[in-house]
Every structure is written in structure tokens, then in C-alpha cells.
Amino acid sequence: MAAFSYICDSVAVITMSNPPVNALSSALIRAVQKAVEEAIGDFAVEAIVIRGDKGKFSAGADIREFNRLERGPPLVSLIDLIEDSKKPVVAAIEGVALGGGLELALGCHYRIAHAQAYVGLPEVLLGLVPAAGGALRLPRLIGISATLSMITTGKYVQAREALKLGIVDKVVGENTVDEAIQLAKKVIGQPLGSRQLSTLPVQCPPNVEAFLDEAMVKVKKQFRGAQSPLACVEVLRAAVQLPYLEGKKKERELFQFLYTTDQTRAQQYAFFAEREVAKWTLPSGASWKTASPQPIRTAAVIGLGTMGRGIVISLVKAKIPVIALEQDKKQLDIGSKAVMSLLDREILKMEQLGHTEATNSLGLVQFTLDYGKLRDVDIVIEAVFENMALKKEIFRHLSGICKPEAFLCTNTSGLDIDEIASVTDRPQMIVGTHFFAPAHIMKLLEVVRGSCTSSTSISTAMQLAKNLGKIGVLVGNCPLFVGNRLMLPYIQQAIFLVEEGNKVEEIDRALEGFGFAMGPFQMMDLAGLDTLWRCHVEHGLTRPEQSTGTSNHCCGSKRYSPLLGILSEKLRFGQKSGQGWYKYEKPGGRKAMSDPWLHNFLSEYRDAHNFKTQYITQEEIIEWCLYVIINEGFKALEDGIASGPEDIDVIYTNGYGWPKHTGGPMYYASLVGLPVVLTKLEKYYEANPDIPDLKPSMFLKKLVAYGNLPLKEWQFHLGSQNCKL
Ligand code: 3HC
Ligand code: NAI
């Protein structure tokens, strides 16, 4: 677990070891404490270096032990012991020093980091606050403002930036531990007072109270509904207002309060779910363990529109050379300019973080109109218009041009992967790689398996996701896959509520209150009403002959609303045209403003179609809109399109802005209680038999028949016979 050995007579090196990330379990903390005590008590030791085994300092408290912890972590006393040591202690940070890992390093008198190492206090991402003095020591070292940004977002800071901020004393390219030993020797006998962070004053901006009040308002807006970012601001307030020891008490109180909330449980669930989804298995038995991903050294992207541009940037950021292809010179000029401008921005960001080699990435993109250039690439990602005929034409062409080992991927939002694969010479190497906009920022990649897609192709796409810094989730092939399949009823339901007299602003406010970054109408305006309408048409969800129909709002026996089509025909596409469900200051503007024109139009529309007005409360808005997502989630599980509730939750929290502090739609359903969700759906469906999305899924009913089963047990009742993966 932790051992120390003497080096050069006087420096004790203590190695923390708890694979795979040296998480600070109770056993490891005890072992380190014992080793530190021994080193302090040993006359032959004059200085101490603490390092982590296998190139990782520590990823912080052992999250697997969280449910077993009752009184908060004993890490605090270990860190105090280190800080109080009269012998200098140096942290040799390789890999990561996160959460409790960084807190331990902050207790050390000096910190040396490897250039590739990351540090951070990501407790907030688990619904917590730093609990071992991190939020009290860090502002004494780097000031309130930089600490605020780190602890409320949980962001990871690379070594060079950490050096700039003052978190570490030195960054080295190699031999971190040797350098730490040299430093430790050099400072033997020097006074340590100024290195004991808890004894220093907090570095505050002039009007710190106003600064923190303003921070609270911002954080409330940015992390709607989440408690832990607010608690982070409170801990900082305590750091400013109280002496260190009292601040520590406040920190403990806040941690213990958060520790018992549903939000932290949901966020811990989300943490493990994000890692669980990487461990895919097919009905054939092939799995992440048995399949070998193929190396992707070069890539091509076809189509440089909204999605293609972001995909190119994503690949370049992962240092993969890309050939970017467009259909004609005009589009190539537009696309290449857009890519280069995005790339410039990324390079600037990297350079600000001290990456002097960032400009090299400019040379990684090559623009072309010539398909011949794609002959030798390892992977092609197609991102042209959502049109089956066009996609088939392109894949037929690629099949004849690309080397036989090349993987051919499509970014379609929901078209049939098998139909696309059918025109190629390698259906086993066709994969859906469904990125989310903006593709260089969003973390999710839906990896869609067609009926012929091989396990090697899946493994390669999942590994690519990881290399791009994304979370890959494997799903089956069905119209709209998992993410958009669940999204569609949500959008439709929100529009039905508007038809029934509710205001777009009220609906958005209710869902933003729930925690979504934006409500459904702002989201539609962002995505483009025309795009969404085309998607409805492409997937046969409308009656094309009556797209703007005036009387009958049914597609078969199913209710549908022509509003998206009507607004699109009036050129109200959303943000891009400056008006949609809201109006904007200019085309491309982002500030959504209530639009009197729309209110008048909707009121005439309701009168013309005799809609019965049905105002509902905020709580009901949330139920109507979210229960259809949940219900469709159960249907996707029943159909075997998603392999488990965790997959759906990871898709929703990483691709659709579902608030992580509620875990995701399926976790949220388990929190509300499945019998409650079922009863509500039954009631709403009875009142609206023309909305089949409200008809409770068989699987939901089956689960409820067993009582209120916890989410972990759902899988058992699902069986594997239906799995379409
Ligand atoms: N505790 C327990 N297990 C952890 C862990 C932790 N802190 N961090 C990671 N793991 C586990 C993962 O669950 C995974 O397990 P698995 O192999 O069984 O699925 C394994 O370690 C590897 O993790 P990743 O798949 O995420 O590996 P990566 O190499 O991609 O990333 C990492 C490594 C950057 C360390 C990433 O795991 C990470 O960000 N971990 C979270 C760190 C964190 O949140 N720390 C704060 C903890 S709370 C705390 O410290 C409270 C303090 O204030 C007292
Ligand atoms: P877009 O309309 O912005 O861009 C499409 C690009 O493809 C255009 O630049 C066009 O010139 C180019 N193109 C068309 N035919 C071509 C050809 N034969 N050869 C080379 N280039 C060609 O479309 P967008 O939004 O980028 O969508 C692309 C794909 O990604 C679609 O399948 C879409 O459904 C999917 N998608 C879109 C998302 C979004 O939010 N916009 C999200 C996820 C997936």
C-alpha cells in the first residue's frame, strides 16, 4: 500500500500504491500515515518525498468507499501531520493529483509536477465540496478568484497552467521523483513557515464580499439546481471570513450535509456509469475485453458543415492528421475558413496554457475536393446532409476508393446503418459515429452498431472516442438511435403543451428550473427549426402532403403538430435567422427574447384549430415533458437498443444537457419511484390516447409488477434475448 525507502542517506521516499489510480482508501491513508510518522520519527531522515506508484500521484478519495464512510475522511489528519512536519515534505506529482490527492499535495511544503500531469479539485462533479482543506489552502496559495473557478467547475489543470497559477513550484519533463529528491535535499534545514499554507492569509480581491455575492449569482445560473457549486462558494466565504480552524469546521459541515443528499448519490452513479459504458458486450460474447481496436493514424471527414467542422477539430486536437473533403469549391472555401478559424481559437487557448507546439496542429489538416486523396486513410467519417440517397452514393464511392482496412463511419442522426452498409464492400466495417454539436466540445459519441458491424470496428470506434476525450456509448441500430429517439417525444410533447395554451417561456423556465441548460424551445431554436422539421419529414413522422395543414392534427391515429413546419415556412428557423420560438437581436444572435408576434400567431392558431386550453403547473410541465423521455427509455431497453439504463443516462447527461445531479432520465425515474411514473403515464395516456408516447412501456409495467426495484436490478428482468447490439 505505502512504503518508504531511503535514498541518498537522508530523504525518505514514500510511495502510495492502490491500483489503478492510487485512490486514497482508508487502508492507503492509514499506510501513508504510518510511513510519514516513521519518517518523521527517524533520525536518519531529514526530508520526505511523497509519490504515487505507476506514474500517478493520486486520484483522491476512494469513491468506492463513499457509501461506507460515516464520519468524513480521516485524510484531514494525515494532511495536517504532513504540513506540521519539521522535515520538509515534497510532493512528486506524476499523472494526476485530484481531489484528496491534490489536497494531500497542498499539505506538502513543495510540489513538483511532471509536464503531462493534471491537478484539480473535482469534488463538485461528485456533488461534494473538497473535504480535506483543499478549498481553504488553495486560496491561500493562488487567491480566491482562481480557486473559485477551479472548485466550482472541478476542471483539471495541466501542470504548466498549475505552475503559472502557483499551485506547483516546478514542472519537469522527466525524472519527477529524482527532481523532487534533489529539491528536498536542497531545502533541508530551511524555515518552513511560509510553506505551511494553512498558516498564510487568504489572497482576496479588494471587495471580496461583493465578489463572492456576484459569484453566487453566476454559479446559481450556470449550474441550475445543483447544490454543490453553491456550497463551494460557501466554503470559500468561510475561508475568507473565518480563521483556518473554524473554516475547517464549516468545510466539514457542508461536506457532511452534501454527503447525504440525493444529488451526490446521483453524481456518483453518473461517475461510475460513465466508466461502465466502456465495458460493452455483444450477444455473441465478443466484448471490450476480447476485441482489439485498430490504430487510427489518419482520418478523413466528408462534409464541412456544422458537424464536419467540429469533427475535424476533435481529430486534430487528438493529433490525428485529417483530410477534409467538400462537394464543391465554394463549400470547400466556406468550410476550410470555418475550420481554420475554429482551429486558431483552439491554438490560442492551448498557447495560453503554455503549449508552445500547438501551432503544429495547423499542419494536420488538408482540404480537398478529390476523393482520390482518401485512398490510404484509416477511417472516414461522413457528415453530409441527412439524406439516405446521398449517403448511399458516398459510401458506394468510398467502398471503391478506400483501402480495404479502412473503417467507414457515418455521423447520421438516425438513418439506417444497415441500409448504408448494404452498398459497400465491407458492411462489417461500417459504424455509426454520432457526434453531438458542437462536435469538438460535446463529450458524447453514440457508437451505432449495424447488424454486420464487427467487434473490431466497435472496439476501434470506442477507442477513438476515448482518444478524442469523449465518452463512447454503444447503441443498436433503430430510427434515431437512442439519443434522438428519446428526444423526439420530448420536443413533440413540449409543442403539444404550447398548442394547449402554455407559453414557450413558461415551459422553458420549468425545464431550466429542473436543471437543463436550456429549455426545449431555446434548444430547438439553437438546432434550427428547419433542420428539425426536415428530420421529422425524413423519418416519416409527418404527413408531407399536409405539412402546414389546418384542420386535422393527426398522422394516422397519432397526434402531431405542424407548428415546426409552419414556422420554418415563415423562415423562422431559430437563432440562425434571428427568429424562431423567440426573437434574437440579429440573425445568429444568442439572446432569446420573448416575441409578441409569436404569441399573437399562436393565439390565432389555437382559435383556428379549436384547441382546448389546458394550463398546467411547472411541476406538471416537467412531468409531461420528462416522463415521455423516460417512457421511451424503457421502450429502448425493451427493444434491446440500449444495453442498460446507465447507457441511456450517460447519453442524456453528456449529449442532451440533462442535469447530472439527477443522474439521468432512468436514474431520475428510479428516484421518483417507478410506480409513480407509471401511474402518471397511465393517467396522461388515458386523457390523450392519440399520443402513443404516453402509453406506458411494457418493461416499465413489468418492473412495477415486482415493486419499486432499484435500478441495478432492472437488468436482471430485461434478459439478454432482446439485445440488438
Ligand atoms: N476512487 C475510486 N476509483 C476511482 C477513482 C477514485 N477517486 N478515480 C478513478 N477510479 C477508478 C475508475 O472507476 C476506474 O475503475 P474501473 O477500471 O473499475 O472502471 C479506474 O479507476 C480507471 O478510471 P478511468 O477509467 O476514469 O481512467 P482514466 O485513466 O480515463 O482517468 C482519472 C483517470 C483522471 C483519475 C479519472 O478516473 C478521474 O477523473 N477520477 C475521478 C477523480 C475524482 O473525482 N477525485 C475526487 C474524489 S473525491 C475526494 O477526493 C474528496 C476529498 O476532498 C476528500
Ligand atoms: P450541414 O448542412 O451543416 O453540412 C453538411 C455539409 O455536407 C455541407 O457543407 C455540404 O456542402 C456538405 N456536402 C453535401 N454533399 C456533399 C458531398 N457529396 N461531398 C462532400 N460534402 C458534401 O449539416 P450538419 O448539420 O453538419 O449535419 C451533417 C450530418 O450530421 C447529418 O447527417 C446530420 O443529421 C448529422 N448530425 C447533425 C447534428 C447537428 O446538430 N447539426 C448533430 C448530430 C448529427
Side-chain angles (χ1 to χ4, degrees):
M1 272 281 168
F4 83 83
S5 51
Y6 293 104
I7 310 270
C8 299
D9 304 330
S10 60
V11 181
V13 177
I14 296 174
T15 302
M16 300 185 283
S17 173
N18 180 19
V21 292
N22 301 326
L24 292 156
S25 61
S26 311
L28 181 58
I29 294 169
R30 253 194 308 278
V32 179
Q33 176 122 8
K34 188 161 165 280
V36 173
E37 281 165 355
E38 268 177 60
I40 290 174
D42 191 325
F43 290 118
V45 172
E46 291 184 83
I48 302 166
V49 165
I50 301 182
R51 66 181 284 262
D53 202 12
K54 305 244 160 54
K56 288 194 174 86
F57 189 75
S58 169
D62 192 328
I63 306 167
R64 287 165 300 195
E65 281 189 352
F66 271 11
N67 294 333
R68 283 180 257 147
L69 268 183
E70 277 160 15
R71 302 180 143 257
L75 184 57
V76 177
S77 50
L78 167 61
I79 297 173
D80 288 346
L81 174 74
I82 293 171
E83 194 184 65
D84 292 344
S85 160
K86 303 283 177 290
K87 301 177 181 179
V89 186
V90 180
I93 301 173
E94 295 174 305
V96 287
L98 299 171
L102 178 58
E103 291 175 300
L104 191 148
L106 291 172
C108 296
H109 306 113
Y110 296 89
R111 287 159 291 281
I112 284 197
H114 186 271
Q116 301 298 329
Y118 284 89
V119 303
L121 292 173
E123 287 84 347
V124 71
L125 305 176
L126 296 167
L128 297 168
V129 289
L136 303 174
R137 285 194 175 88
L138 201 55
R140 290 171 157 84
L141 183 64
I142 65 169
I144 285 288
S145 171
T147 306
L148 179 83
S149 145
M150 275 180 74
I151 66 170
T152 54
T153 61
K155 69 178 175 189
Y156 293 4
V157 173
Q158 223 191 357
R160 286 199 189 93
E161 194 190 349
L163 180 67
K164 266 196 194 167
L165 287 169
I167 301 174
V168 298
D169 301 294
K170 189 173 178 187
V171 172
V172 295
E174 51 190 2
N175 301 329
T176 317
V177 178
D178 292 346
E179 293 269 359
I181 292 169
Q182 294 314 318
L183 175 66
K185 277 185 178 170
K186 208 168 98 188
V187 296
I188 288 171
Q190 288 185 12
L192 292 175
S194 65
R195 314 294 309 184
Q196 291 169 316
L197 299 182
S198 72
T199 65
L200 306 180
V202 173
Q203 297 177 30
C204 295
N207 190 350
V208 68
E209 287 301 333
F211 173 84
L212 288 170
D213 290 345
E214 205 180 300
M216 189 60 109
V217 173
K218 272 197 206 146
V219 162
K220 264 189 195 156
K221 198 164 168 218
Q222 193 178 351
F223 306 101
R224 299 166 199 273
Q227 293 165 323
S228 56
L230 308 184
C232 285
V233 181
E234 280 311 310
V235 183
L236 276 191
R237 203 184 286 280
V240 169
Q241 290 176 340
L242 304 172
Y244 177 74
L245 286 179
E246 282 180 49
K248 221 163 122 177
K249 262 197 229 150
K250 182 73 183 173
E251 175 195 72
R252 170 163 286 248
E253 266 169 41
L254 283 164
F255 179 82
Q256 284 183 335
F257 163 72
L258 291 170
Y259 194 70
T260 56
T261 57
D262 283 339
Q263 290 198 0
T264 185
R265 272 189 282 276
Q267 285 176 257
Q268 286 166 39
Y269 157 82
F271 175 85
F272 286 113
E274 284 173 9
R275 274 127 195 110
E276 227 25 65
V277 295
K279 298 169 186 163
W280 54 273
T281 304
L282 302 182
S284 66
S287 74
W288 65 286
K289 280 192 199 143
T290 57
S292 317
Q294 296 305 296
I296 298 297
R297 297 192 189 91
T298 51
V301 174
I302 305 187
L304 298 177
T306 310
M307 294 308 292
R309 294 167 194 180
I311 298 171
V312 171
I313 302 294
S314 255
L315 290 160
V316 168
K317 278 170 77 181
K319 300 196 171 60
I320 301 173
V322 192
I323 298 174
L325 185 142
E326 254 294 345
Q327 59 176 332
D328 57 38
K329 169 118 187 26
K330 185 172 163 227
Q331 293 302 326
L332 188 69
D333 283 348
I334 298 172
S336 58
K337 276 199 193 104
V339 168
M340 294 319 278
S341 132
L342 277 176
L343 202 50
D344 281 344
R345 255 184 276 168
E346 291 296 318
I347 290 172
L348 194 65
K349 269 195 241 161
M350 310 254 287
E351 283 178 343
Q352 279 165 354
L353 299 181
H355 295 274
T356 43
E357 74 294 349
T359 38
N360 296 348
S361 41
L362 285 172
L364 292 178
V365 199
Q366 193 190 333
F367 297 98
T368 188
L369 293 172
D370 177 7
Y371 271 85
K373 296 245 167 70
L374 275 45
R375 210 172 300 279
D376 294 322
V377 296
D378 296 323
I379 197 166
V380 179
I381 301 173
E382 164 276 310
V384 304
F385 305 128
E386 186 76 338
N387 177 293
M388 180 55 93
L390 175 62
K391 291 197 192 274
K392 277 163 90 172
E393 186 191 317
I394 288 175
F395 274 77
R396 200 176 289 115
H397 200 42
L398 289 174
S399 191
I401 286 172
C402 295
K403 63 182 179 185
E405 316 85 74
F407 298 94
L408 305 182
C409 306
T410 170
N411 188 50
T412 171
S413 306
L415 294 175
D416 184 3
I417 303 293
D418 288 338
E419 192 174 340
I420 295 174
S422 70
V423 299
T424 71
D425 61 348
R426 62 193 87 182
Q428 76 285 1
M429 298 179 84
I430 310 302
V431 196
T433 45
H434 183 205
F435 289 77
F436 288 72
H440 59 300
I441 291 175
M442 296 295 282
K443 292 269 285 180
L444 179 66
L445 182 71
E446 250 187 333
V447 173
V448 191
R449 184 185 184 221
S451 57
C452 301
T453 311
S454 69
S455 53
T456 306
S457 305
I458 294 170
S459 176
T460 306
M462 293 292 277
Q463 184 60 45
L464 179 67
K466 196 161 172 127
N467 295 349
L468 300 184
K470 299 193 186 296
I471 303 172
V473 183
L474 180 63
V475 299
N477 181 25
C478 72
L480 300 175
F481 315 135
V482 171
N484 286 340
R485 170 176 165 167
L486 272 63
M487 182 52 36
L488 199 70
Y490 169 71
I491 289 176
Q492 286 186 335
Q493 195 54 57
I495 296 176
F496 294 159
L497 294 182
V498 164
E499 288 187 330
E500 288 158 18
N502 300 282
K503 284 187 162 173
V504 293
E505 293 83 354
E506 276 165 9
I507 297 171
D508 276 353
R509 212 174 307 129
L511 287 143
E512 284 161 12
F514 178 78
F516 279 92
M518 58 180 81
F521 293 99
Q522 285 209 35
M523 186 195 73
M524 285 186 248
D525 273 359
L526 178 67
L529 270 49
D530 53 330
T531 311
L532 288 168
W533 180 248
R534 269 203 303 276
C535 175
H536 278 61
V537 174
E538 185 73 23
H539 290 279
L541 300 166
T542 61
R543 294 189 310 156
E545 81 281 4
Q546 206 180 5
S547 67
T548 57
T550 50
S551 55
N552 188 349
H553 291 257
C554 284
C555 179
S557 59
K558 199 175 157 181
R559 173 172 168 185
Y560 94 101
S561 167
L563 274 175
L564 274 179
I566 297 175
L567 293 178
S568 297
E569 279 178 12
K570 293 185 184 302
L571 306 184
R572 297 184 68 99
F573 299 151
Q575 284 189 8
K576 58 180 146 182
S577 64
Q579 47 189 10
W581 293 106
Y582 292 89
K583 65 178 179 183
Y584 298 83
E585 67 278 20
K586 58 173 195 263
R590 295 194 168 187
K591 193 169 180 302
M593 292 171 284
S594 182
D595 189 350
W597 180 91
L598 186 91
H599 294 299
N600 275 340
F601 163 76
L602 285 175
S603 139
E604 284 166 17
Y605 170 86
R606 289 177 196 120
D607 290 345
H609 300 289
N610 299 320
F611 275 106
K612 223 168 73 202
T613 306
Q614 188 181 239
Y615 296 114
I616 55 175
T617 63
Q618 296 239 327
E619 201 184 317
E620 285 169 319
I621 290 173
I622 290 172
E623 285 175 5
W624 277 97
C625 292
L626 298 191
Y627 286 10
V628 285
I629 298 187
I630 292 167
N631 197 31
E632 196 60 34
F634 280 111
K635 290 179 187 172
L637 288 173
E638 188 179 309
D639 293 351
I641 291 300
S643 58
E646 291 87 354
D647 300 69
I648 296 175
D649 286 337
V650 171
I651 289 173
Y652 260 72
T653 49
N654 289 285
Y656 293 87
W658 185 294
K660 244 184 213 176
H661 62 263
T662 70
M666 310 317 283
Y667 184 88
Y668 177 68
S670 74
L671 213 58
V672 172
L674 298 193
V676 176
V677 175
L678 177 62
T679 309
K680 286 281 165 72
L681 280 168
E682 281 171 341
K683 180 177 141 199
Y684 293 152
Y685 182 52
E686 200 182 305
N688 297 273
D690 57 347
I691 307 181
D693 295 326
L694 292 167
K695 184 178 180 186
S697 114
M698 294 304 290
F699 183 47
L700 171 60
K701 284 184 167 172
K702 182 172 163 185
L703 289 177
V704 171
Y706 288 103
N708 195 8
L709 290 177
L711 182 138
K712 279 274 160 229
E713 289 176 31
W714 298 1
Q715 197 76 35
F716 175 76
H717 296 279
L718 200 54
S720 57
Q721 68 279 11
N722 279 342
C723 183
K724 304 270 184 343
L725 296 180

